[in-house]
Amino acid sequence: MTKIIFEVTEENLDTGLRGYPVGHCLTSRVDPMLGLYYYDKPIRDLAHLQPEEVIYFLMEGELKKGEGFESFCRELHKRAPVSKKVIDAILALPKEMHPMHLFVSSLVILGALEGTGDYPEDCLNIIAKAPEIVATIINHHGGWGKTPKSQPELGYMKNFAAMIRPPSIKDPKKLEEALRLFNILHYDHGGGNLSTFVGKAVASSLESMYGSLASAMCALNGPRHGRANQDCLVFLQEVLHAVGENATGDTVEELIRNRLLNKELVFGFGHAVLRVEDSRATIFYEAFEKLFPNHPYRKIANFLRERGPKVLKENPKIQNPYPNVDAVSGAFLAASGFDYPYYFTLLFGLSRIVGIARQIVYERCEAREGKGVPIYRPKYIYAPHIPK
Ligand code: MLT
């Protein structure tokens, strides 16, 4: 293996480990110019597949649909039922909690009542059970009534779509398709995105899969990470409200300029690693055009996509002025009828636990010839005063 030497200097401290290699990631990588790959496949080549196919790919590293795949699907179906005790405990949680905090609590409850203590087992179990858990949280939080019986044999996201009961869905087939795509595009994003990193760090203490994922979901819930998809839709709605449905690119550009002048945030641009438009965002823009061409959110999302980089590029300090996945993922979901920004991060979490759980299995059971990665313990430089 090639040895890569990275020199750490004073300027690299207090920068959130930005860009520093700390380990291996088997399942995915983020190329600054080409975007997301699951193994060797650009995400675009996988975006048409069914969730089970992509989950199997992330678990096993192969795409072939033979007996291996069939028995994997049977395993997922067998493991899907969630006990009544867990569901009742979730339904007893206060509805005032943010849906992501309900998810964090549900993961801890599930771990306490159904955890096996074996990372690979719990990896498959949580992936299998997550759709029913998340549907229960949404119906409970939204006051949308009793969750219908889970039918995993319908398909991973078809089952989920059949279990959630938002009052405003006009075209269930389009909702199903929007959820499928959203789910697949968010499974994994390299080893260093914050929620994945946190999940692996917590698991390195030998905390259970469920506790590690609960910590990871707290990390995902922050507005700089997964909560950004909720904030981006709220931003887009504000823009639409301000410029109206007959807006032109120029009025949107003016709004962006004014916000920046007033030191207000413009949401949905930039990324720690990417230096071009996020490949997941590109796929969402295309699907938006195909599925919901006349929705007013599409027009605004497109104006923001076109004018945001134009304005942001004028500031030489901005390294990446292009849209990230959150710029459009929420608007796309909302156009499908699921216009509930409050649940967007939860849907991100439903998806991301797949990649995190698989990466935890690697670090706990496969890395270093099966010995596993030791407990995370980076070095901090003692500084009695705030360094200049
Ligand atoms: C993600 O999908 O995790 C986000 O784009 C953030 C990241 O990659 O750091």
Side-chain angles (χ1 to χ4, degrees):
M1 194 185 287
T2 6
K3 268 214 153 69
I4 316 169
I5 310 290
F6 283 80
E7 198 191 340
V8 182
T9 65
E10 196 63 32
E11 290 82 71
N12 302 116
L13 304 179
D14 299 332
T15 60
L17 285 171
R18 208 39 92 85
Y20 272 79
V22 288
H24 296 105
C25 175
L26 268 55
T27 45
S28 68
R29 70 186 165 96
V30 182
D31 182 292
M33 305 308 289
L34 300 172
L36 175 61
Y37 286 68
Y38 290 165
Y39 290 97
D40 58 340
K41 303 263 178 250
I43 189 66
R44 173 176 289 284
D45 291 359
L46 304 166
H48 63 286
L49 296 176
Q50 287 304 316
E52 286 89 336
E53 296 174 87
V54 186
I55 295 173
Y56 178 64
F57 185 44
L58 287 169
M59 296 300 125
E60 304 294 334
E62 67 170 39
L63 263 176
K64 274 194 276 64
K65 286 222 287 180
E67 175 46 31
F69 173 70
E70 298 302 327
S71 81
F72 176 77
C73 291
R74 284 195 295 275
E75 267 304 312
L76 277 188
H77 299 166
K78 202 174 81 195
R79 291 162 187 258
V82 181
S83 66
K84 183 172 176 317
K85 210 168 168 186
V86 170
I87 298 291
D88 286 348
I90 296 173
L91 296 177
L93 293 170
K95 290 181 186 179
E96 290 76 13
M97 287 165 74
H98 186 279
M100 275 301 275
H101 291 144
L102 289 170
F103 190 35
V104 169
S105 309
S106 304
L107 286 166
V108 175
I109 292 168
L110 186 64
L113 298 179
E114 295 192 19
T116 68
D118 178 276
Y119 290 107
E121 279 291 305
D122 285 337
C123 170
L124 284 187
N125 285 343
I126 182 58
I127 293 171
K129 293 173 197 297
E132 186 178 352
I133 299 276
V134 171
T136 304
I137 291 171
I138 292 179
N139 294 330
H140 171 56
H141 182 270
W144 294 345
K146 197 170 171 325
T147 303
K149 194 174 158 18
S150 169
Q151 302 171 76
E153 56 298 334
L154 286 179
Y156 197 69
M157 286 313 274
K158 278 194 187 153
N159 182 31
F160 176 73
M163 282 188 285
I164 50 171
R165 310 188 60 196
S168 65
I169 299 304
K170 292 198 191 76
D171 187 338
K173 283 270 161 263
K174 285 196 175 166
L175 172 70
E176 238 174 67
E177 172 54 10
L179 289 169
R180 181 199 67 78
L181 187 64
F182 187 96
N183 193 243
I184 285 175
L185 296 188
H186 286 89
Y187 286 147
D188 213 20
H189 210 237
N193 67 80
L194 185 70
S195 47
T196 306
F197 180 77
V198 166
K200 291 184 294 192
V202 172
S204 79
S205 75
L206 302 188
E207 165 60 340
S208 72
M209 176 63 86
Y210 294 93
S212 305
L213 288 174
S215 316
M217 291 302 107
C218 285
L220 188 71
N221 192 35
R224 285 185 178 173
H225 194 7
R227 183 84 72 100
N229 63 7
Q230 173 181 332
D231 295 343
C232 279
L233 181 65
V234 173
F235 169 65
L236 187 141
Q237 287 167 335
E238 275 169 31
V239 175
L240 177 60
H241 184 72
V243 297
E245 285 199 19
N246 298 322
T248 63
D250 288 345
T251 47
V252 172
E253 184 175 326
E254 195 186 326
L255 180 142
I256 297 171
R257 283 186 195 286
N258 285 338
R259 280 188 79 104
L260 292 174
L261 276 175
N262 294 333
K263 306 242 174 301
E264 286 169 323
L265 288 174
V266 174
F267 293 85
F269 298 91
H271 192 274
V273 179
L274 293 166
R275 293 294 170 263
V276 291
E277 180 172 287
D278 191 324
S279 52
R280 300 166 296 178
T282 310
I283 295 169
F284 274 128
Y285 287 121
E286 290 167 8
F288 214 151
E289 189 173 339
K290 207 167 125 207
L291 290 175
F292 315 111
N294 301 319
H295 197 280
Y297 289 170
R298 185 177 91 83
K299 192 169 163 191
I300 300 297
N302 280 353
F303 282 143
L304 289 169
R305 179 192 195 188
E306 179 191 300
R307 302 299 175 117
K310 181 174 172 227
V311 177
L312 294 170
K313 270 184 203 166
E314 291 165 12
N315 180 348
K317 286 201 194 125
I318 295 181
Q319 288 183 311
N320 173 7
Y322 299 103
N324 56 44
V325 68
D326 307 309
V328 56
S329 60
F332 174 74
L333 273 183
S336 78
F338 197 81
D339 199 348
Y340 304 98
Y342 222 50
Y343 301 130
F344 290 174
T345 312
L346 182 56
L347 294 183
F348 190 160
L350 168 62
S351 175
R352 185 54 59 86
I353 52 157
V354 171
I356 303 177
R358 179 63 186 92
Q359 292 198 36
I360 288 176
V361 170
Y362 165 72
E363 289 216 349
R364 299 288 23 101
C365 310
E366 298 166 4
R368 293 159 62 97
E369 294 174 342
K371 292 198 292 287
V373 173
I375 187 166
Y376 280 34
R377 186 58 174 95
K379 180 182 170 78
Y380 279 72
I381 314 281
Y382 173 62
H385 307 290
I386 295 174
K388 291 216 171 76

